[in-house]
Amino acid sequence: MPLKTPDEYFESLKREVTLFMFGEKIKRFWEHPFFKIIEPSINTAKKIYELAQQEEYKDLMTAKSNLTGETINRFTHIHQSVEDLIKKVEMQRLLGQKTACCFQRCVGFDAANALFSVSWEIDQNHGTHYHTNFKEYWKEVQKQDLFVAGSMTDPKGDRGGRPINQSNPDAYLHLVEENDDEIVVRGAKVHQTGFLNSHRAIIMPTIALREGEEKFAISFGVDTNAKGITMVYGRQSCDKRKLEEATLDIGNFKFGGQEIFVIFDDVVIPTNQIFMNGEIEFSGDLVNRFAGYHRQSYACKTGVGDVLIGAAALAAEYNGVHRASHIRDKLVEMVHLNETLWCCALACSLKGSQRPAGNYEMDMLLANVNKQNVTRFPYEIGRLAEDLAGGIICTMPSELDLNDSEIGPILNKYLSTCESVSPRDRFSLFRFIENLVMGVAAVSYKTESLHGAGSPQAQRIMISRQANIDKKIEMVKEILNIES
Ligand code: SF4
Ligand code: FE
């Protein structure tokens, strides 16, 4: 059965790469002192492999492949039913609950599901072989249980100009040359979630392209350690706390995400790994379909929200105020917001349908509404969590002071609240909340909620395209017998 154990996953990831981090060029990242910063994101990835091994989670974490017939990790599955779409979001909520961060494997998963139907449609129109290329490529991903990143966002240069008009000719990733056996590509992809802890990546265009922009309409699969790929690790708030002795100061010291800046310097891609090459009229479909699947994926934030609500409730308990009616009401508000997010994630899955290629796709309008809510509600849930925890989440001393023989006992005395509550546990909880609302984990819970899978305006454009206002006008006219 092609299900890797967490250790097998980590071992298979130990391949030399070209990585820059804090001004250092690193090849064997797992042996470098900075690995302490990278490790939580590897732990998160390992959690996905771990849960897939457990009987309790098998139904959510695994699926039967339509390509190989084998049991595979659901993150490599091509959805075969509405039930699959629902299990996808249930799995994502579960993983948010288990890790309280971005678990990074959804991007390649969503790219694969979008490409399955788009490559099929290109072949129907152009007589190309992209769908076969994709299926063969993806079978290997399923057989080896590979972790796959998905790359869409180009640096874009001057947003007012088209790709072809940029003063930096590489502002959009593009084809450089091609022959019968391979193509050469150049450019960059930014904000790349989970690229370093992925074995492979699927690359897609970043916008709908027009005539004359064919060289930017490319999609392909690539190994993340391929020659010509350079990664630069994203700097995040408080990240160097992971290098310090005080583990509790980190907050979520087990799990985390990673964001990478990826440069493609004349990377060679074999022809059988190409899924689109110049078919501009399908570039918009690929962008929108991937974005739709990924906007459905933001069910992840409800899982993280569950943990944050739990943390806020525990903070109230530790502070001895949990019986106050306004505290209970704030918790109700947090739950209301979180479950409203969940309603949309479930609804867009439940209203999914089959594509002509045979796979299933979520409801596009509802997926965009889901993500639009995600750009707002986690901020309010986070604000309420800060309210309940109190200002102490950003005024506390370090764990090192707590452990100090001179000042430690005094701090413990003044940090004590209710008798049954250990000051150390309370300290750990407050650091966890700090981490989620303003530390490294806020990257995932807040900024990623805002900009991941497209910034708020991108969803509004998609909502307006599908709003069908004319039909709504007809409804009122019918009721009022209006004809003009
Ligand atoms: Fe998955 Fe959510 Fe992270 Fe996107 S932000 S990769 S949907 S966990
Ligand atoms: Fe994301």
Side-chain angles (χ1 to χ4, degrees):
M1 197 166 66
L3 289 176
K4 273 187 168 50
T5 65
D7 288 344
E8 284 167 349
Y9 155 71
F10 186 38
E11 284 309 308
S12 65
L13 205 61
K14 292 178 179 171
R15 312 150 309 155
E16 290 196 351
V17 295
T18 305
L19 171 72
F20 280 85
M21 202 168 168
F22 298 109
E24 278 193 42
K25 192 173 183 180
I26 301 168
K27 295 240 170 249
R28 298 167 72 84
F29 63 90
W30 61 95
E31 291 173 354
H32 194 278
F34 291 158
F35 184 63
K36 282 183 91 174
I37 293 176
I38 302 167
E39 196 172 14
S41 65
I42 307 270
N43 290 343
T44 311
K46 281 166 123 179
K47 195 73 181 171
I48 296 174
Y49 288 92
E50 182 192 319
L51 294 184
Q53 304 271 334
Q54 295 175 4
E55 203 50 50
E56 188 184 349
Y57 301 115
K58 272 218 149 58
D59 187 47
L60 283 190
M61 296 299 303
T62 65
K64 188 170 178 222
S65 167
N66 63 310
L67 300 175
T68 67
E70 292 196 83
T71 299
I72 52 168
N73 192 296
R74 186 171 295 282
F75 276 97
T76 66
H77 188 44
I78 304 297
H79 313 298
Q80 297 301 300
S81 62
V82 163
E83 195 188 346
D84 274 345
L85 291 167
I86 294 172
K87 283 186 178 169
K88 173 194 174 188
V89 291
E90 286 178 338
M91 170 182 75
Q92 288 165 322
R93 186 167 188 172
L94 171 74
L95 274 156
Q97 292 168 344
K98 294 284 182 192
T99 62
C101 67
C102 166
F103 32 87
Q104 306 145 71
R105 204 175 176 180
C106 324
V107 199
F109 181 23
D110 292 333
N113 275 277
L115 263 174
F116 188 89
S117 58
V118 174
S119 64
W120 185 88
E121 287 164 31
I122 302 176
D123 287 0
Q124 296 298 307
N125 280 271
H126 290 272
T128 44
H129 302 285
Y130 300 131
H131 192 59
T132 310
N133 287 354
F134 174 73
K135 282 197 297 188
E136 290 307 311
Y137 187 80
W138 202 252
K139 268 186 207 169
E140 209 44 46
V141 167
Q142 293 184 338
K143 281 184 196 159
Q144 294 186 47
D145 198 5
L146 299 178
F147 204 101
V148 182
S151 301
M152 178 162 277
T153 313
D154 289 325
K156 298 195 196 86
D158 175 358
R159 270 61 169 173
R162 297 293 304 175
I164 210 80
N165 305 125
Q166 299 296 324
S167 56
N168 168 11
D170 304 325
Y172 288 73
L173 191 134
H174 61 93
L175 181 81
V176 176
E177 55 182 71
E178 64 183 314
N179 60 40
D180 288 346
D181 302 322
E182 60 197 28
I183 60 170
V184 176
V185 298
R186 190 184 305 152
K189 292 287 181 185
V190 293
H191 324 305
Q192 291 306 297
T193 300
F195 203 93
L196 175 62
N197 58 7
S198 295
H199 304 95
R200 292 183 178 183
I202 287 183
I203 314 302
M204 298 164 282
T206 199
I207 54 167
L209 296 154
R210 302 172 185 166
E211 218 180 307
E213 297 175 336
E214 286 76 7
K215 68 175 182 176
F216 303 103
I218 45 172
S219 176
F220 54 88
V222 66
D223 287 355
T224 52
N225 65 339
K227 190 166 177 277
I229 289 187
T230 299
M231 301 181 229
V232 189
Y233 206 86
R235 178 91 223 246
Q236 296 180 338
S237 168
C238 314
D239 49 8
K240 281 202 169 172
R241 283 195 195 180
K242 292 176 193 149
L243 298 178
E244 298 171 5
E245 268 176 62
T247 310
L248 296 188
D249 281 359
I250 298 170
N252 186 348
F253 48 83
K254 284 187 190 162
F255 303 110
Q258 60 169 242
E259 300 293 335
I260 315 282
F261 195 120
V262 188
I263 296 143
F264 294 75
D265 185 14
D266 291 356
V267 178
V268 176
I269 309 295
T271 308
N272 62 357
Q273 289 176 210
I274 300 171
F275 314 132
M276 172 188 283
N277 185 7
E279 294 79 10
I280 43 168
E281 71 274 31
F282 288 95
S283 55
D285 290 328
L286 183 51
V287 171
N288 292 336
R289 241 170 262 180
F290 163 74
Y293 278 120
H294 206 45
R295 289 168 193 171
Q296 173 203 23
S297 280
Y298 270 70
C300 65
K301 301 306 175 211
T302 56
V304 181
D306 287 328
V307 183
L308 185 56
I309 293 166
L314 190 58
E317 221 175 286
Y318 281 2
N319 290 343
V321 294
H322 55 292
R323 285 189 199 86
S325 62
H326 75 98
I327 299 284
R328 298 230 296 255
D329 191 55
K330 280 167 188 162
L331 286 170
V332 167
E333 179 62 11
M334 292 168 88
V335 171
H336 163 70
L337 290 168
N338 206 41
E339 296 304 328
T340 305
L341 293 179
W342 181 236
C343 290
C344 254
L346 263 185
C348 73
S349 310
L350 192 69
K351 298 299 279 182
S353 58
Q354 191 171 23
R355 300 237 34 127
N359 62 328
Y360 274 71
E361 191 175 293
M362 75 290 127
D363 181 271
M364 192 62 87
L365 174 60
L366 293 178
N368 278 280
V369 173
N370 180 45
K371 177 63 200 354
Q372 182 79 182
N373 287 341
V374 172
T375 65
R376 300 169 180 172
F377 297 176
Y379 284 85
E380 180 61 8
I381 296 171
R383 188 187 72 78
L384 289 164
E386 283 188 57
D387 183 350
L388 263 58
I392 193 166
I393 57 168
C394 57
T395 62
M396 274 188 309
S398 162
E399 183 195 357
L400 297 182
D401 296 314
L402 215 66
N403 295 340
D404 184 80
S405 59
E406 185 182 341
I407 195 69
I410 301 169
L411 285 174
N412 273 291
K413 173 182 150 188
Y414 287 108
L415 282 172
S416 290
T417 52
C418 316
E419 234 168 53
S420 58
V421 179
S422 137
R424 197 175 173 78
D425 288 350
R426 187 165 169 260
F427 177 93
S428 172
L429 176 70
F430 285 154
R431 282 289 180 224
F432 181 80
I433 295 173
E434 178 205 24
N435 178 244
L436 254 173
V437 297
M438 63 183 77
V440 176
V443 172
S444 159
Y445 190 57
K446 289 182 171 175
T447 316
E448 208 174 25
S449 290
L450 190 65
H451 292 295
S455 304
Q457 193 56 26
Q459 290 112 56
R460 298 187 81 78
I461 291 167
M462 288 302 286
I463 291 169
S464 82
R465 278 186 199 156
Q466 291 160 93
N468 208 345
I469 301 291
D470 288 346
K471 198 170 171 195
K472 298 182 198 307
I473 290 174
E474 283 311 314
M475 290 170 194
V476 70
K477 284 185 174 177
E478 192 184 319
I479 291 171
L480 298 179
N481 295 331
I482 293 173
E483 287 189 1
S484 56

